[in-house]
Amino acid sequence: AVWAAFVGAGAGLARGDSVAARGLGSHAHPMCFATVAPAAQPVQARAQSAAATLVTPAAAAAPTRFARPALAGASVSRVLMWFQADLRVEDNDALAAAAAAARAPGGALVPVYSARVAMRTGAAQELRASLQRAGSDVVAVANTGAQQLGERLLEIARELQLQAVFYNRAALPDDAREQRVVLSVLERAGIQARAYWGNALCEPPPTEQQQLCASALAKYVAAPRAVRAPRAAEKRLPALSNAARQMADAASDAALTPKTGCGASVGARLLQELTARDQALRVTVAGAGGADVALKFKAALDSGAISLRACYARVCELLENKPRGYLFSELVFRSYACCILQRSAARSAAPAH
Protein backbone atom coordinates (compact mmCIF):
# COMPACT_ATOMS: atom_id res chain seq x y z
CA ALA A 1 0.00 0.00 0.00
CA VAL A 2 1.17 3.47 -0.92
CA TRP A 3 0.99 5.01 2.53
CA ALA A 4 3.02 2.11 3.94
CA ALA A 5 5.80 3.11 1.54
CA PHE A 6 5.14 6.77 2.37
CA VAL A 7 5.79 6.34 6.10
CA GLY A 8 8.01 3.27 5.93
CA ALA A 9 5.94 1.66 8.66
CA GLY A 10 3.39 -1.09 9.04
CA ALA A 11 4.52 -4.47 7.87
CA GLY A 12 0.92 -5.51 7.45
CA LEU A 13 0.18 -2.66 5.06
CA ALA A 14 3.43 -3.32 3.19
CA ARG A 15 2.27 -6.90 2.63
CA GLY A 16 -0.92 -5.56 1.04
CA ASP A 17 -3.35 -6.13 3.91
CA SER A 18 -6.72 -4.53 3.41
CA VAL A 19 -7.82 -1.41 5.23
CA ALA A 20 -10.45 -3.43 7.03
CA ALA A 21 -7.75 -5.73 8.41
CA ARG A 22 -6.02 -2.67 9.86
CA GLY A 23 -9.19 -1.52 11.60
CA LEU A 24 -10.30 1.24 9.22
CA GLY A 25 -13.49 -0.39 8.04
CA SER A 26 -14.39 -1.96 4.74
CA HIS A 27 -13.22 0.82 2.42
CA ALA A 28 -9.88 1.07 0.67
CA HIS A 29 -8.51 4.57 0.59
CA PRO A 30 -8.85 6.21 -2.84
CA MET A 31 -5.60 8.16 -2.74
CA CYS A 32 -3.42 6.04 -0.49
CA PHE A 33 -3.58 2.45 -1.71
CA ALA A 34 -2.41 0.59 -4.77
CA THR A 35 -5.98 -0.15 -5.84
CA VAL A 36 -6.71 3.47 -6.77
CA ALA A 37 -7.52 4.70 -10.23
CA PRO A 38 -4.67 4.87 -12.77
CA ALA A 39 -4.76 8.70 -12.72
CA ALA A 40 -3.46 8.65 -9.16
CA GLN A 41 -0.43 6.49 -9.93
CA PRO A 42 2.05 9.36 -10.50
CA VAL A 43 1.13 10.72 -7.05
CA GLN A 44 1.87 7.29 -5.55
CA ALA A 45 5.26 7.12 -7.25
CA ARG A 46 6.23 10.54 -5.92
CA ALA A 47 5.09 9.60 -2.43
CA GLN A 48 7.18 6.42 -2.48
CA SER A 49 10.27 8.28 -3.69
CA ALA A 50 9.90 11.04 -1.12
CA ALA A 51 9.29 8.60 1.73
CA ALA A 52 12.63 6.91 1.16
CA THR A 53 14.46 10.13 2.03
CA LEU A 54 12.30 11.00 5.02
CA VAL A 55 11.62 7.87 7.05
CA THR A 56 13.70 4.73 7.30
CA PRO A 57 12.12 1.41 8.30
CA ALA A 58 14.19 1.36 11.49
CA ALA A 59 12.99 4.80 12.48
CA ALA A 60 9.37 3.99 11.70
CA ALA A 61 9.39 0.95 13.95
CA ALA A 62 10.59 2.84 17.03
CA PRO A 63 8.23 4.32 19.65
CA THR A 64 6.69 7.72 18.93
CA ARG A 65 7.83 10.68 20.99
CA PHE A 66 6.73 14.21 20.21
CA ALA A 67 8.88 16.91 21.76
CA ARG A 68 7.64 20.37 22.65
CA PRO A 69 8.94 23.15 20.39
CA ALA A 70 12.22 24.69 21.49
CA LEU A 71 11.71 27.58 23.90
CA ALA A 72 7.97 26.91 23.85
CA GLY A 73 7.46 28.84 27.07
CA ALA A 74 9.48 31.92 26.10
CA SER A 75 7.59 35.14 25.49
CA VAL A 76 7.53 36.45 21.93
CA SER A 77 5.39 39.16 20.40
CA ARG A 78 6.98 39.84 17.02
CA VAL A 79 6.08 36.93 14.78
CA LEU A 80 6.62 35.79 11.22
CA MET A 81 3.65 33.61 10.27
CA TRP A 82 4.87 31.18 7.59
CA PHE A 83 2.07 29.93 5.35
CA GLN A 84 2.97 26.83 3.37
CA ALA A 85 0.15 24.31 2.86
CA ASP A 86 -2.33 25.94 5.25
CA LEU A 87 -3.63 28.74 3.03
CA ARG A 88 -6.67 29.83 5.04
CA VAL A 89 -7.63 32.10 7.90
CA GLU A 90 -10.31 29.75 9.24
CA ASP A 91 -9.22 27.06 11.71
CA ASN A 92 -5.53 27.85 11.42
CA ASP A 93 -3.79 27.03 14.71
CA ALA A 94 -0.51 28.76 13.91
CA LEU A 95 -2.23 31.93 12.69
CA ALA A 96 -4.43 32.11 15.79
CA ALA A 97 -1.41 31.72 18.07
CA ALA A 98 0.62 34.25 16.07
CA ALA A 99 -2.18 36.81 16.18
CA ALA A 100 -2.60 36.36 19.94
CA ALA A 101 1.14 36.82 20.52
CA ALA A 102 1.34 39.88 18.27
CA ARG A 103 -1.41 41.71 20.16
CA ALA A 104 1.00 42.31 23.04
CA PRO A 105 2.49 45.82 23.34
CA GLY A 106 5.18 46.26 20.72
CA GLY A 107 4.03 43.14 18.89
CA ALA A 108 3.97 42.48 15.16
CA LEU A 109 2.50 39.85 12.86
CA VAL A 110 3.98 39.45 9.38
CA PRO A 111 2.34 36.72 7.24
CA VAL A 112 4.66 35.25 4.60
CA TYR A 113 3.88 32.76 1.84
CA SER A 114 6.54 30.94 -0.15
CA ALA A 115 5.33 30.36 -3.69
CA ARG A 116 6.88 26.95 -4.36
CA VAL A 117 3.87 25.00 -5.67
CA ALA A 118 2.18 26.56 -8.69
CA MET A 119 -1.13 24.81 -7.99
CA ARG A 120 -1.41 26.71 -4.70
CA THR A 121 -1.33 30.23 -6.11
CA GLY A 122 -5.12 30.36 -6.40
CA ALA A 123 -5.45 29.50 -2.72
CA ALA A 124 -2.70 32.00 -1.87
CA GLN A 125 -4.50 34.79 -3.72
CA GLU A 126 -7.69 34.07 -1.78
CA LEU A 127 -5.65 33.93 1.43
CA ARG A 128 -4.28 37.37 0.67
CA ALA A 129 -7.77 38.75 0.13
CA SER A 130 -8.92 37.24 3.45
CA LEU A 131 -5.93 38.71 5.30
CA GLN A 132 -6.57 42.11 3.76
CA ARG A 133 -10.20 42.01 4.89
CA ALA A 134 -8.91 41.29 8.40
CA GLY A 135 -6.58 44.31 8.28
CA SER A 136 -3.35 42.54 7.33
CA ASP A 137 -1.65 41.29 4.16
CA VAL A 138 0.86 38.67 3.06
CA VAL A 139 4.42 38.92 1.80
CA ALA A 140 4.58 36.37 -1.03
CA VAL A 141 8.18 35.56 -1.90
CA ALA A 142 9.59 33.54 -4.77
CA ASN A 143 10.88 30.12 -3.81
CA THR A 144 13.91 28.85 -5.71
CA GLY A 145 14.89 26.29 -3.09
CA ALA A 146 14.57 25.58 0.61
CA GLN A 147 17.98 27.00 1.53
CA GLN A 148 17.33 30.22 -0.37
CA LEU A 149 13.86 30.46 1.15
CA GLY A 150 15.28 30.12 4.65
CA GLU A 151 17.77 32.88 3.92
CA ARG A 152 15.00 35.12 2.54
CA LEU A 153 12.80 34.58 5.59
CA LEU A 154 15.79 35.36 7.78
CA GLU A 155 16.29 38.64 5.89
CA ILE A 156 12.64 39.54 6.49
CA ALA A 157 12.87 38.63 10.16
CA ARG A 158 16.00 40.74 10.65
CA GLU A 159 14.72 43.73 8.70
CA LEU A 160 11.42 43.79 10.63
CA GLN A 161 12.97 42.71 13.95
CA LEU A 162 10.90 39.54 14.31
CA GLN A 163 11.64 37.07 17.09
CA ALA A 164 9.95 33.85 15.98
CA VAL A 165 8.41 31.93 13.12
CA PHE A 166 5.05 30.21 13.69
CA TYR A 167 3.99 27.43 11.32
CA ASN A 168 1.79 24.35 11.01
CA ARG A 169 3.49 20.98 10.77
CA ALA A 170 3.61 19.56 7.26
CA ALA A 171 1.45 16.66 6.11
CA LEU A 172 3.18 16.12 2.74
CA PRO A 173 6.78 14.89 2.26
CA ASP A 174 8.06 17.74 0.10
CA ASP A 175 6.64 20.30 2.53
CA ALA A 176 8.22 18.48 5.48
CA ARG A 177 11.60 18.44 3.77
CA GLU A 178 11.34 22.17 3.03
CA GLN A 179 10.36 22.91 6.63
CA ARG A 180 13.38 21.05 7.97
CA VAL A 181 15.84 23.06 5.86
CA VAL A 182 14.17 26.45 6.34
CA LEU A 183 13.83 26.06 10.10
CA SER A 184 17.45 25.02 10.47
CA VAL A 185 18.51 28.28 8.78
CA LEU A 186 16.26 30.37 11.03
CA GLU A 187 17.08 28.61 14.28
CA ARG A 188 20.83 28.81 13.69
CA ALA A 189 20.38 32.58 13.46
CA GLY A 190 18.48 32.71 16.75
CA ILE A 191 14.92 32.87 15.39
CA GLN A 192 12.60 30.73 17.49
CA ALA A 193 10.34 28.20 15.76
CA ARG A 194 6.93 27.20 17.07
CA ALA A 195 5.02 24.36 15.45
CA TYR A 196 1.28 23.65 15.56
CA TRP A 197 -1.02 20.81 14.51
CA GLY A 198 -3.18 22.86 12.16
CA ASN A 199 -2.72 20.33 9.33
CA ALA A 200 -3.97 17.38 11.40
CA LEU A 201 -7.25 16.44 13.01
CA CYS A 202 -5.68 16.65 16.47
CA GLU A 203 -2.44 16.26 18.34
CA PRO A 204 -1.25 12.64 18.17
CA PRO A 205 -2.49 10.38 20.96
CA PRO A 206 -0.01 9.24 23.62
CA THR A 207 1.92 6.33 22.09
CA GLU A 208 5.12 6.31 24.09
CA GLN A 209 5.02 2.55 24.58
CA GLN A 210 3.72 1.48 21.19
CA GLN A 211 4.12 2.28 17.55
CA LEU A 212 1.67 4.83 16.15
CA CYS A 213 -0.42 3.22 13.41
CA ALA A 214 -3.20 4.47 11.18
CA SER A 215 -5.82 2.10 12.60
CA ALA A 216 -5.16 3.29 16.16
CA LEU A 217 -5.37 6.91 15.03
CA ALA A 218 -8.67 6.23 13.22
CA LYS A 219 -10.20 4.77 16.38
CA TYR A 220 -8.84 7.64 18.44
CA VAL A 221 -10.25 10.45 16.28
CA ALA A 222 -13.62 8.69 15.90
CA ALA A 223 -14.15 8.84 19.67
CA PRO A 224 -16.39 11.64 21.02
CA ARG A 225 -14.60 14.96 21.60
CA ALA A 226 -11.25 13.65 20.32
CA VAL A 227 -11.33 16.23 17.53
CA ARG A 228 -12.24 19.75 18.61
CA ALA A 229 -14.57 21.97 16.63
CA PRO A 230 -12.90 24.08 13.93
CA ARG A 231 -11.84 27.61 14.89
CA ALA A 232 -13.67 30.58 13.48
CA ALA A 233 -11.73 32.91 11.21
CA GLU A 234 -9.80 35.76 12.80
CA LYS A 235 -11.97 38.81 12.10
CA ARG A 236 -9.27 41.36 12.92
CA LEU A 237 -5.52 40.84 12.75
CA PRO A 238 -2.72 43.14 13.89
CA ALA A 239 -1.99 45.65 11.14
CA LEU A 240 1.30 45.56 9.29
CA SER A 241 3.89 48.22 9.94
CA ASN A 242 4.67 50.61 7.10
CA ALA A 243 7.87 48.71 6.33
CA ALA A 244 6.07 45.37 6.26
CA ARG A 245 3.26 46.75 4.10
CA GLN A 246 5.73 48.12 1.57
CA MET A 247 7.39 44.72 1.51
CA ALA A 248 4.03 43.02 0.88
CA ASP A 249 3.09 45.44 -1.89
CA ALA A 250 6.46 45.02 -3.62
CA ALA A 251 6.70 41.24 -3.42
CA SER A 252 3.24 39.74 -3.56
CA ASP A 253 1.72 40.68 -6.91
CA ALA A 254 4.44 39.05 -9.02
CA ALA A 255 4.75 35.98 -6.80
CA LEU A 256 1.01 35.20 -6.87
CA THR A 257 0.48 35.06 -10.63
CA PRO A 258 -0.83 33.23 -12.53
CA LYS A 259 -3.80 32.02 -10.52
CA THR A 260 -4.02 28.23 -10.55
CA GLY A 261 -5.57 25.67 -8.24
CA CYS A 262 -8.54 26.07 -5.92
CA GLY A 263 -8.81 28.23 -2.86
CA ALA A 264 -11.03 28.75 0.16
CA SER A 265 -14.10 29.62 -1.92
CA VAL A 266 -13.99 26.24 -3.67
CA GLY A 267 -13.36 24.53 -0.34
CA ALA A 268 -16.36 26.28 1.20
CA ARG A 269 -18.54 25.13 -1.67
CA LEU A 270 -17.38 21.54 -1.25
CA LEU A 271 -18.16 21.67 2.45
CA GLN A 272 -21.57 23.16 1.71
CA GLU A 273 -22.34 20.18 -0.51
CA LEU A 274 -21.94 17.91 2.52
CA THR A 275 -24.69 19.64 4.47
CA ALA A 276 -27.59 18.18 2.51
CA ARG A 277 -29.46 15.87 4.87
CA ASP A 278 -30.71 13.22 2.51
CA GLN A 279 -30.26 9.50 2.69
CA ALA A 280 -28.78 9.21 -0.80
CA LEU A 281 -25.85 11.48 0.09
CA ARG A 282 -25.24 9.56 3.33
CA VAL A 283 -25.07 6.31 1.40
CA THR A 284 -22.71 7.85 -1.16
CA VAL A 285 -20.26 9.31 1.38
CA ALA A 286 -20.26 6.21 3.58
CA GLY A 287 -20.12 3.73 0.71
CA ALA A 288 -18.20 3.06 -2.49
CA GLY A 289 -19.36 6.32 -4.08
CA GLY A 290 -17.40 8.19 -1.43
CA ALA A 291 -14.23 7.75 -3.50
CA ASP A 292 -15.41 10.41 -5.94
CA VAL A 293 -16.34 12.70 -3.06
CA ALA A 294 -12.89 12.31 -1.51
CA LEU A 295 -11.15 13.06 -4.80
CA LYS A 296 -13.05 16.33 -5.10
CA PHE A 297 -11.54 17.48 -1.82
CA LYS A 298 -7.94 16.58 -2.66
CA ALA A 299 -6.78 19.88 -4.18
CA ALA A 300 -8.36 21.98 -1.43
CA LEU A 301 -6.79 19.78 1.25
CA ASP A 302 -3.38 19.79 -0.47
CA SER A 303 -3.24 23.57 -0.37
CA GLY A 304 -4.82 23.82 3.05
CA ALA A 305 -7.65 25.97 1.70
CA ILE A 306 -9.89 24.04 4.09
CA SER A 307 -8.86 22.33 7.30
CA LEU A 308 -9.17 18.65 8.09
CA ARG A 309 -11.24 19.50 11.16
CA ALA A 310 -13.76 21.51 9.14
CA CYS A 311 -14.16 18.60 6.74
CA TYR A 312 -14.37 16.10 9.60
CA ALA A 313 -17.11 18.13 11.30
CA ARG A 314 -19.25 18.00 8.15
CA VAL A 315 -18.67 14.26 7.75
CA CYS A 316 -19.72 13.65 11.37
CA GLU A 317 -22.80 15.83 10.93
CA LEU A 318 -23.80 14.07 7.74
CA LEU A 319 -23.19 10.56 9.06
CA GLU A 320 -24.75 11.21 12.49
CA ASN A 321 -21.46 11.13 14.43
CA LYS A 322 -20.40 7.80 12.97
CA PRO A 323 -17.51 8.82 10.69
CA ARG A 324 -16.58 6.25 8.06
CA GLY A 325 -15.93 5.87 4.35
CA TYR A 326 -13.36 7.16 1.90
CA LEU A 327 -13.38 10.81 2.94
CA PHE A 328 -12.94 9.92 6.61
CA SER A 329 -10.03 7.65 5.66
CA GLU A 330 -8.46 10.51 3.70
CA LEU A 331 -8.59 12.78 6.74
CA VAL A 332 -7.13 10.09 9.00
CA PHE A 333 -4.23 9.31 6.67
CA ARG A 334 -3.33 12.97 6.28
CA SER A 335 -3.24 13.29 10.06
CA TYR A 336 -1.19 10.10 10.28
CA ALA A 337 1.28 11.45 7.72
CA CYS A 338 1.61 14.69 9.69
CA CYS A 339 2.44 12.73 12.85
CA ILE A 340 4.92 10.42 11.15
CA LEU A 341 6.71 13.23 9.31
CA GLN A 342 7.00 15.20 12.53
CA ARG A 343 8.45 12.18 14.30
CA SER A 344 10.98 11.71 11.53
CA ALA A 345 12.00 15.36 11.67
CA ALA A 346 12.38 15.23 15.45
CA ARG A 347 14.61 12.17 15.25
CA SER A 348 16.79 13.59 12.50
CA ALA A 349 17.34 16.69 14.62
CA ALA A 350 18.05 14.80 17.83
CA PRO A 351 21.73 14.58 18.83
CA ALA A 352 23.37 11.18 18.54
CA HIS A 353 24.18 9.33 21.77
Side-chain angles (χ1 to χ4, degrees):
V2 171
W3 277 97
F6 174 55
V7 300
L13 286 175
R15 289 194 302 269
D17 293 352
S18 67
V19 186
R22 302 293 292 173
L24 284 175
S26 59
H27 304 293
H29 188 269
M31 281 165 273
C32 299
F33 289 87
T35 55
V36 296
Q41 296 301 321
V43 178
Q44 297 175 12
R46 289 195 299 271
Q48 289 173 326
S49 175
T53 65
L54 283 170
V55 184
T56 64
T64 304
R65 291 179 175 85
F66 294 99
R68 291 171 60 82
L71 300 174
S75 175
V76 298
S77 61
R78 302 186 63 80
V79 180
L80 187 156
M81 170 62 208
W82 178 22
F83 287 96
Q84 189 188 40
D86 49 352
L87 305 181
R88 62 185 184 275
V89 296
E90 297 84 359
D91 195 34
N92 190 315
D93 292 0
L95 177 61
R103 291 189 178 103
L109 170 62
V110 181
V112 177
Y113 167 65
S114 53
R116 177 176 61 84
V117 181
M119 288 303 294
R120 293 177 184 168
T121 56
Q125 286 180 331
E126 291 197 37
L127 169 68
R128 188 184 192 193
S130 297
L131 290 170
Q132 289 173 337
R133 287 192 294 269
S136 185
D137 205 336
V138 65
V139 179
V141 299
N143 188 338
T144 57
Q147 181 69 28
Q148 292 78 7
L149 174 60
E151 293 168 357
R152 178 60 182 137
L153 296 189
L154 180 57
E155 290 176 1
I156 294 172
R158 285 175 170 168
E159 182 174 346
L160 300 178
Q161 299 180 338
L162 305 178
Q163 301 164 289
V165 56
F166 285 32
Y167 68 100
N168 288 303
R169 293 176 172 92
L172 296 174
D174 287 346
D175 292 335
R177 186 164 33 247
E178 181 180 71
Q179 282 186 357
R180 190 165 61 243
V181 175
V182 169
L183 295 174
S184 68
V185 173
L186 295 174
E187 290 181 314
R188 283 198 303 269
I191 304 298
Q192 299 180 35
R194 297 196 179 178
Y196 296 86
W197 294 102
N199 288 329
L201 288 171
C202 58
E203 293 187 24
T207 53
E208 292 289 341
Q209 303 303 321
Q210 59 181 341
Q211 179 184 345
L212 178 68
C213 64
S215 58
L217 185 60
K219 293 176 182 178
Y220 179 78
V221 301
R225 295 180 294 279
V227 180
R228 66 162 175 78
R231 299 175 186 270
E234 295 282 336
K235 293 183 179 180
R236 295 301 301 173
L237 293 169
L240 295 179
S241 66
N242 290 335
R245 188 164 295 282
Q246 291 174 2
M247 193 178 293
D249 291 341
S252 298
D253 290 336
L256 293 181
T257 54
K259 178 178 180 179
T260 57
C262 67
S265 60
V266 174
R269 177 178 56 78
L270 291 171
L271 291 177
Q272 186 63 31
E273 292 176 359
L274 292 181
T275 60
R277 295 179 175 274
D278 62 87
Q279 184 61 27
L281 182 60
R282 290 193 184 98
V283 171
T284 298
V285 172
D292 292 335
V293 177
L295 286 169
K296 289 181 180 179
F297 279 84
K298 184 180 184 300
L301 292 173
D302 282 349
S303 67
I306 54 175
S307 74
L308 270 63
R309 285 185 292 253
C311 193
Y312 175 84
R314 293 299 176 89
V315 170
C316 287
E317 180 182 4
L318 179 67
L319 301 181
E320 300 173 332
N321 292 317
K322 297 178 180 178
R324 58 197 184 276
Y326 283 98
L327 185 54
F328 173 62
S329 295
E330 173 69 13
L331 303 179
V332 170
F333 272 94
R334 285 177 182 267
S335 295
Y336 180 48
C338 190
C339 296
I340 293 297
L341 290 170
Q342 166 61 19
R343 181 179 67 180
S344 175
R347 285 189 174 139
S348 65
H353 295 288

